[in-house]
Amino acid sequence: MKISDILTTDDFIDTINDFPEVAAKKSLTYGIIIYRNKEDMKRDLKNGKELLWIASIDPKVKADDMYSNEALNVEEEEAYLDIPFITRKRIDDLLVRYINTPLPARDEWPGEERKESLRHLLEFERKNTAKKSPEYTRGMFDGLKAVFNIMDLRSDYEATMKPKRGVEIVLSD
């Protein structure tokens, strides 16, 4: 899976909110809920209730459930079908990307804290390789390199792994 295929919950909602016909938000009760229009969402936010939504998506749905009712639970079928076909198609395409995103990546991919902790781990392991066997070291660095590649942090990996070279100054007598 490439980083461009990853779709976090926030990106999913933001992309839907960019469509002029519909709106979406996180719900503690229903997961991700989709409204027929932005006015319905504003009305629900103002009233403090979630009554006017037309579809919901469980943020923990797995790829196995993509074609079941668990992926997109349409409460108001008539209202959902009133949404223009092209918008429904775009929502479906986003939903496929979202469902194919691994569960841990949906909410924290790749956060700056996680990136920074990986950089520190790599630096620590690079400095402490003398205490470990060559096989362990090679396997560990191969694994870390794969993680850095997936998270699109190749340059960070290479910068950390390159030996630091200083300038040697030679003084003549």
Side-chain angles (χ1 to χ4, degrees), residues 65-123:
D65 303 323
M66 187 179 308
Y67 298 106
S68 71
N69 288 340
E70 291 181 39
L72 179 65
N73 179 18
V74 177
E75 288 291 313
E76 300 276 337
E77 186 140 349
E78 190 174 308
Y80 189 73
L81 293 175
D82 284 344
I83 297 171
F85 174 77
I86 191 75
T87 302
R88 286 194 319 252
K89 173 81 170 101
R90 291 167 67 192
I91 291 172
D92 290 344
D93 292 345
L94 279 173
L95 185 58
V96 168
R97 263 185 66 205
Y98 182 70
I99 290 173
N100 283 313
T101 299
L103 286 175
R106 290 183 189 168
D107 289 322
E108 53 188 60
W109 192 269
E112 279 304 314
E113 283 182 22
R114 183 164 293 230
K115 286 181 183 179
E116 195 58 33
S117 65
L118 274 172
R119 289 182 195 111
H120 286 297
L121 173 66
L122 182 62
E123 183 67 29

Side-chain angles (χ1 to χ4, degrees), residues 32-63:
I32 301 167
I33 53 180
I34 299 174
Y35 290 91
R36 178 185 357 209
N37 54 47
K38 293 177 184 2
E39 290 76 33
D40 285 353
M41 185 173 81
K42 287 177 186 173
R43 231 176 288 142
D44 266 5
L45 289 172
K46 184 178 177 184
N47 295 334
K49 297 178 181 174
E50 296 171 338
L51 303 172
L52 303 172
W53 57 274
I54 58 172
S56 67
I57 299 156
D58 179 3
K60 302 295 182 208
V61 70
K62 296 181 178 133

